[in-house]
Amino acid sequence: MTPAIDGPRLLARLDSLAAIGRTPTGACCRLALSDDDKAGRDQVVAWMRDLGLTVSVDPIGNLFGLRAGRRPDLAPVMTGSHIDTVRTGGAYDGNLGVLAGLEVVAALNDAGVDTERGLVVAVFTDEEGARFAPDMLGSLVFAGGLAPDEALAVRGIDGAVLGDELRRIGYAGTAPLGEPRPHAFVELHIEQGPVLDAEGVRIGAVEDLQGISWQEIRVRGQSNHAGTTPMRLRHDAGYVAAAIACFVRRLASEMGGSQVATVGKVDLVPNLINVIAAQATLTVDLRNTDEALLQAAERRLSDFLDQLAAEEGVAIERRSLARFEPVRFDPAIAARIAAAAAGRGLTHRPMTSGAGHDAQMLSRVCPTAMIFVPSVGGISHNPAEHTAPDDLVAGAGVLLDTLLGLCNEGE
Amino acid sequence: MTPAIDGPRLLARLDSLAAIGRTPTGACCRLALSDDDKAGRDQVVAWMRDLGLTVSVDPIGNLFGLRAGRRPDLAPVMTGSHIDTVRTGGAYDGNLGVLAGLEVVAALNDAGVDTERGLVVAVFTDEEGARFAPDMLGSLVFAGGLAPDEALAVRGIDGAVLGDELRRIGYAGTAPLGEPRPHAFVELHIEQGPVLDAEGVRIGAVEDLQGISWQEIRVRGQSNHAGTTPMRLRHDAGYVAAAIACFVRRLASEMGGSQVATVGKVDLVPNLINVIAAQATLTVDLRNTDEALLQAAERRLSDFLDQLAAEEGVAIERRSLARFEPVRFDPAIAARIAAAAAGRGLTHRPMTSGAGHDAQMLSRVCPTAMIFVPSVGGISHNPAEHTAPDDLVAGAGVLLDTLLGLCNEGE
């Protein structure tokens, strides 16, 4: 019997999980290691056990459900995502990847299908980074990118210590960290961007993930009376902030390709109508799929800042808030995803992920790729975040085919 | 005997007045119609009486001290300014004009000099507009630009009603409003800008005063993920705000002359590093000494906003917060001021006032001009506001000569 996704079963589990931590405005709030996160984890563990998976938890709270294969000596294939959310999250961000993984298991069980390699469904701790920084914390530790002791000592935005919270909710596990090292990792996720929806395409075969450069820029000028100060005698920190924002827009336009640039945060002091700003603090978010180009963008910005500071007679300080190199996913797995979509008669296209994901970290330890399904209007991190039920189910189908193929890959 | 300014006497009075309402940081805080403003008024009234002036108060609290002339049938000459301050004011803003006026009276008294026309020293209510809007409220009512009942009903930033406060501090007067209509008005004031200080010039003969156009602009775009949203699909309210700020800088540069342009206040929503801004609210402050040019600047900005809204796919609303036409002062009085400075061996230059003053309102009812003295570093509305004592005294000397000439002008 051919394994088949049970759409209503998947959608019902998504609804059940979405109800855990639901806020009065209909958003989903399961901040990492909160009581609602615990309740969500407990539910997922119960489903894993119902499906006959062997459940384990590692020291950073990453949760794994293993469906054994015929060849326990071969590395298993892993799928999954996260169930922690931002404060005003939607129902599918992360949750889709986990519950579609469970639905794949259920489909294989129902069809009585065994696979060469085992299949692991993973729930990584604290992907969002909303309570404990950085984001993708659990998968970063899994991949050996952050020492567990350091991660356990992280203090959250509410002052709580990560290790204490992990113990408090009963998810401080003992399974050996980083094991099993997967044969491959495939993550199904909503796009959280507008491309698939705008183009009417149903499946994204994600080939790469943007490198991220976050900087905070602080401009110090001189506050003065807006009426009495001639233009030539000004050191306007507010104008300088605007000039930087206009520059990064031009930079992204000229560079083209995958380059994006955003000034999302600007704060002026004193921020009064008739006072030339003394100080401006702004953030610049640069992303590119190519590390050399991302560095070039950073250099061009830096040179511009030096020139602008000299021209305007202001002081400009910059500090890096975050920096991740781009990630190239595994082209063979991306090809499997495209073929699976085509085989199911689904429109598909190669894609870049502009957001960070657990897959970004897993790519450090095994061949990895992602499957995207459309986000209506590109809306994310918002209760209005939505993906059509048919698209959720279609994505799960592509995940099933892809995982099945990988689980039956030989040595 | 030739009347002569007594520098130490003037400086001593300035120090005494500065001590009333002094804050722990050394600033001067006498918000209009507060107890500290009352105490300041009481002190000035006492000095007026000591100097033999006839004191009167009008229904909006404007305070006048008259030194009679030989010809009471001729309109008197008026000088003065304000003694209310902003929350963190300096010692000379407004106070210099009032106390230099009293010092001129003292000098005339000491020299036993009578004049044809009388001399009135005026203290106008609520010039700053910091507690009760608008600014220049008392002189605006005096000049017939705002009905007294309307002014008395103004509610302040603390919820107090102007008329109640005026009665509370005992300055709701009965002298007929708008009388006497002066023969001329001359106001001595600190520059509150950097020009005289930067050029090493000691006296400004102020010929005109900038028109002011204040707008609030609200941009509505669409918030989106900074990583996953391609540049071509963005409706970035934050970028639009920056483009407007860069445009008004270019506009002022191209127009030259007296045109200045400032974006002093910018507020983004949600103002997060990785979210394209949904909304931006900013203010644009445009000033020019020429009404036609100021209107042209407003039109060019408006056209730019329309074009930008269409290009970026955002909605841009604008509303006017304030609009005052430029004021041309009386060239003959400005010439007297320049001659007085030259006669005293003081460097001088014609100037434009970039800030609003009571003289702006008085110019609606009589020939008016202003004398500026340097502000060190152009700093104003700040406890660091400073003018060298020699410059304060020099200004008073120029005021004396100018007033004496005007007081002896025939019909």
Side-chain angles (χ1 to χ4, degrees):
Chain A
M1 183 181 156
T2 315
I5 295 297
D6 182 334
R9 180 169 61 193
L10 170 61
L11 297 174
R13 282 210 177 102
L14 282 165
D15 281 351
S16 295
L17 188 56
I20 298 174
R22 176 169 286 144
T23 76
T25 57
C28 196
C29 180
R30 290 193 301 270
L31 291 177
L33 311 185
S34 65
D35 290 346
D36 286 319
D37 186 26
K38 171 183 173 50
R41 287 163 170 266
D42 291 350
Q43 173 66 85
V44 170
V45 168
W47 283 328
M48 283 179 170
R49 294 211 162 104
D50 288 348
L51 290 166
L53 301 180
T54 304
V55 178
S56 63
V57 180
D58 74 14
I60 200 62
N62 295 324
L63 166 61
F64 304 100
L66 167 67
R67 183 180 194 268
R70 283 187 295 269
R71 296 280 306 275
D73 59 303
L74 294 180
V77 173
M78 188 182 282
T79 190
S81 189
H82 63 98
I83 65 163
D84 69 297
T85 73
V86 292
R87 207 174 278 283
T88 52
Y92 307 131
D93 179 353
N95 309 312
L96 175 63
V98 171
L99 298 184
L102 296 186
E103 179 52 35
V104 167
V105 167
L108 295 176
N109 288 353
D110 290 349
V113 165
D114 283 331
T115 53
E116 282 285 287
R117 297 173 183 274
L119 176 61
V120 177
V121 180
V123 181
F124 291 104
T125 296
D126 189 26
E127 189 276 349
E128 294 287 7
R131 185 185 182 201
F132 300 100
D135 47 358
M136 283 88 71
L137 183 143
S139 51
L140 180 60
V141 173
F142 180 87
L146 177 63
D149 288 348
E150 215 178 310
L152 291 165
V154 165
R155 193 171 285 277
I157 56 172
D158 54 356
V161 173
L162 193 150
D164 293 345
E165 283 294 281
L166 199 55
R167 275 185 294 276
R168 184 183 71 82
I169 66 167
Y171 279 89
T174 54
L177 195 59
E179 297 178 17
R181 187 190 182 98
H183 170 67
F185 180 77
V186 185
E187 180 172 2
L188 170 65
H189 206 289
I190 55 171
E191 179 195 338
Q192 293 179 293
V195 174
L196 292 174
D197 187 47
E199 297 183 5
V201 173
R202 300 193 65 198
I203 294 289
V206 188
E207 303 184 310
D208 52 15
L209 185 144
Q210 301 263 30
I212 300 173
S213 165
W214 280 0
Q215 293 185 52
E216 179 187 84
I217 297 174
R218 180 163 299 201
V219 183
R220 292 184 205 282
Q222 189 177 318
S223 67
N224 264 317
H225 195 295
T228 63
T229 313
M231 301 306 289
R232 71 185 184 285
L233 294 177
R234 298 184 175 211
H235 306 287
D236 186 342
Y239 166 71
V240 171
I244 294 169
C246 290
F247 172 80
V248 300
R249 158 66 79 100
R250 277 197 308 279
L251 179 66
S253 295
E254 284 170 23
M255 290 182 69
S258 70
Q259 183 66 45
V260 291
T262 310
V263 172
K265 185 164 167 62
V266 177
D267 297 293
L268 304 189
V269 175
N271 208 32
L272 295 175
I273 183 171
N274 58 350
V275 180
I276 297 162
Q279 190 173 303
T281 307
L282 62 149
T283 57
V284 175
D285 176 323
L286 298 172
R287 306 200 194 198
N288 201 307
T289 51
D290 182 297
E291 174 63 17
L293 290 176
L294 186 57
Q295 288 188 23
E298 288 173 318
R299 263 195 314 275
R300 285 179 63 176
L301 173 61
S302 182
D303 290 345
F304 178 76
L305 294 180
D306 290 340
Q307 179 191 326
L308 190 60
E311 283 170 0
E312 296 294 322
V314 298
I316 301 183
E317 296 165 15
R318 53 218 93 163
R319 69 181 181 112
S320 174
L321 300 178
R323 183 64 162 86
F324 288 116
E325 292 197 13
V327 169
R328 286 218 186 316
F329 287 136
D330 185 87
I333 301 181
R336 281 187 182 275
I337 291 165
R344 287 174 174 262
L346 301 167
T347 50
H348 60 93
R349 58 162 276 168
M351 282 207 64
T352 291
S353 174
H357 292 287
D358 293 312
Q360 174 180 1
M361 301 310 169
L362 269 290
S363 74
R364 300 184 189 201
V365 298
C366 65
T368 297
M370 295 186 73
I371 305 164
F372 275 170
V373 287
S375 289
V376 177
I379 293 168
S380 83
H381 285 183
N382 187 300
E385 183 182 271
H386 186 62
T387 298
D390 285 354
D391 289 337
L392 298 169
V393 174
V398 171
L399 181 67
L400 167 62
D401 292 351
T402 306
L403 291 175
L404 205 45
L406 289 167
C407 282
N408 286 326
E409 262 187 353
E411 283 147 277
Chain B
M1 184 181 155
T2 313
I5 295 296
D6 181 337
R9 180 170 58 192
L10 170 61
L11 297 174
R13 283 211 178 102
L14 283 165
D15 282 349
S16 294
L17 188 55
I20 298 173
R22 176 170 288 142
T23 76
T25 58
C28 197
C29 180
R30 287 194 302 270
L31 290 177
L33 311 184
S34 64
D35 291 344
D36 285 319
D37 186 25
K38 171 183 173 50
R41 286 164 171 265
D42 291 349
Q43 173 66 88
V44 169
V45 168
W47 283 329
M48 283 178 169
R49 294 213 162 105
D50 289 347
L51 291 166
L53 301 179
T54 305
V55 177
S56 61
V57 180
D58 74 13
I60 198 65
N62 295 324
L63 164 61
F64 305 98
L66 167 67
R67 183 181 195 268
R70 283 187 293 269
R71 295 281 305 276
D73 58 305
L74 293 180
V77 173
M78 188 182 282
T79 190
S81 188
H82 64 99
I83 64 163
D84 69 296
T85 74
V86 292
R87 208 175 276 284
T88 53
Y92 308 130
D93 179 352
N95 309 311
L96 175 62
V98 171
L99 298 185
L102 295 186
E103 179 52 34
V104 166
V105 167
L108 294 176
N109 288 353
D110 290 349
V113 164
D114 284 330
T115 53
E116 281 286 286
R117 298 174 182 270
L119 175 63
V120 177
V121 180
V123 180
F124 291 103
T125 297
D126 189 25
E127 189 275 349
E128 293 289 6
R131 184 183 180 203
F132 299 99
D135 45 359
M136 285 89 71
L137 183 143
S139 49
L140 180 60
V141 173
F142 180 86
L146 176 64
D149 288 347
E150 217 177 308
L152 291 165
V154 166
R155 193 172 284 278
I157 56 171
D158 53 358
V161 175
L162 193 149
D164 293 344
E165 284 292 282
L166 199 54
R167 275 184 293 276
R168 184 183 73 83
I169 66 167
Y171 279 88
T174 53
L177 195 57
E179 295 178 19
R181 184 190 183 98
H183 171 67
F185 180 76
V186 185
E187 182 172 0
L188 170 65
H189 206 288
I190 54 170
E191 181 195 338
Q192 293 179 294
V195 175
L196 291 174
D197 188 47
E199 299 183 3
V201 172
R202 300 195 62 199
I203 294 291
V206 188
E207 303 184 311
D208 52 14
L209 186 143
Q210 301 263 31
I212 300 174
S213 165
W214 279 359
Q215 293 185 54
E216 178 187 84
I217 297 173
R218 180 164 298 205
V219 184
R220 293 184 203 285
Q222 188 178 318
S223 67
N224 265 316
H225 196 296
T228 64
T229 313
M231 300 307 288
R232 70 185 184 284
L233 294 178
R234 297 183 177 214
H235 305 288
D236 186 341
Y239 165 71
V240 170
I244 294 169
C246 288
F247 172 80
V248 300
R249 159 65 78 101
R250 278 197 308 279
L251 179 67
S253 294
E254 284 169 20
M255 291 181 69
S258 70
Q259 183 66 44
V260 291
T262 310
V263 172
K265 186 164 166 61
V266 178
D267 296 292
L268 302 189
V269 176
N271 209 33
L272 295 175
I273 183 171
N274 60 349
V275 181
I276 298 161
Q279 191 173 300
T281 307
L282 62 148
T283 57
V284 175
D285 175 324
L286 300 172
R287 305 198 195 197
N288 201 307
T289 50
D290 182 296
E291 174 63 18
L293 290 177
L294 186 56
Q295 288 187 22
E298 289 172 318
R299 263 195 315 273
R300 286 178 63 176
L301 172 60
S302 182
D303 291 346
F304 178 75
L305 295 180
D306 291 341
Q307 180 193 325
L308 191 60
E311 283 171 0
E312 296 295 322
V314 299
I316 301 183
E317 295 164 16
R318 52 217 95 160
R319 68 180 181 112
S320 174
L321 299 180
R323 184 63 165 86
F324 288 115
E325 292 197 15
V327 169
R328 288 219 185 313
F329 288 134
D330 184 88
I333 302 180
R336 279 187 182 276
I337 292 165
R344 285 171 174 265
L346 300 166
T347 50
H348 60 93
R349 57 164 277 169
M351 282 207 66
T352 291
S353 174
H357 292 288
D358 292 313
Q360 174 178 2
M361 302 308 169
L362 270 289
S363 73
R364 300 183 187 200
V365 299
C366 66
T368 297
M370 297 186 72
I371 306 164
F372 274 170
V373 287
S375 287
V376 176
I379 294 170
S380 82
H381 285 181
N382 187 299
E385 181 182 273
H386 187 65
T387 299
D390 284 354
D391 290 337
L392 298 168
V393 175
V398 172
L399 181 67
L400 169 62
D401 292 351
T402 307
L403 292 175
L404 205 44
L406 289 167
C407 284
N408 286 326
E409 263 186 352
E411 286 143 279

